[in-house]
């Protein structure tokens, strides 16, 4: 288990919590929760977007991942999982492009 809390000089924050528990031989439970509002690059949608044309998007992002992983001989992993991602975009930095 670990937790992280970080702040920037610009008032941005990042929090993360992770809990990992072994449930038995080759089976473990993994819960990962993250919330931050750091600006992040956005490269557009699809394969036609040029990587040099990135914009920065600001806003709060939430991510929750849950796994129940079953490992067989350390080579094959399977099991149910849940991956939730949410975002509230406040705007883009230095462009007139609307946030996605």
């Amino acid at each position: 288990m670990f937790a992280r809390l970080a702040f920037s000089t610009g008032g941005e924050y990042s929090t993360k919590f992770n809990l990992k528990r072994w449930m038995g031989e080759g089976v473990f439970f993994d819960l990962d929760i993250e919330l931050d509002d750091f600006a992040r690059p956005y490269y557009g949608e699809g394969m036609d977007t040029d990587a040099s044309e990135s914009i920065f998007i600001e806003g709060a992002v939430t991510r929750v991942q849950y796994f129940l992983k079953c490992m067989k001989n350390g080579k094959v992993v399977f099991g149910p999982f849940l991956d939730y991602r949410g975002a509230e975009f406040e705007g883009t930095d230095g462009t007139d492009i609307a946030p996605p």
Side-chain angles (χ1 to χ4, degrees):
M1 176 174 77
F2 77 88
R4 176 192 75 209
L5 178 61
F7 294 96
S8 75
T9 56
E12 298 166 322
Y13 63 89
S14 176
T15 61
K16 183 167 184 166
F17 173 79
N18 179 264
L19 174 64
K20 194 175 281 190
R21 296 259 187 220
W22 290 100
M23 306 296 287
E25 186 175 333
V27 178
F28 68 92
F29 166 83
D30 189 354
L31 176 65
D32 200 17
I33 302 172
E34 189 170 8
L35 175 66
D36 76 61
D37 75 342
F38 279 85
R40 62 195 48 77
Y42 174 71
Y43 297 98
E45 303 294 330
M47 299 299 292
D48 296 330
T49 306
D50 187 349
S52 66
E53 297 178 9
S54 69
I55 58 175
F56 277 91
I57 297 178
E58 298 177 2
V61 172
T62 306
R63 194 178 114 244
V64 177
Q65 290 183 314
Y66 152 81
F67 292 94
L68 183 62
K69 295 183 179 178
C70 304
M71 300 180 72
K72 186 65 176 170
N73 298 328
K75 298 179 181 177
V76 177
V77 178
F78 61 93
F81 74 94
L82 170 68
D83 186 355
Y84 167 80
R85 299 172 194 205
E88 294 180 20
F89 295 118
E90 297 169 2
T92 56
D93 186 16
T95 69
D96 58 355
I97 300 172

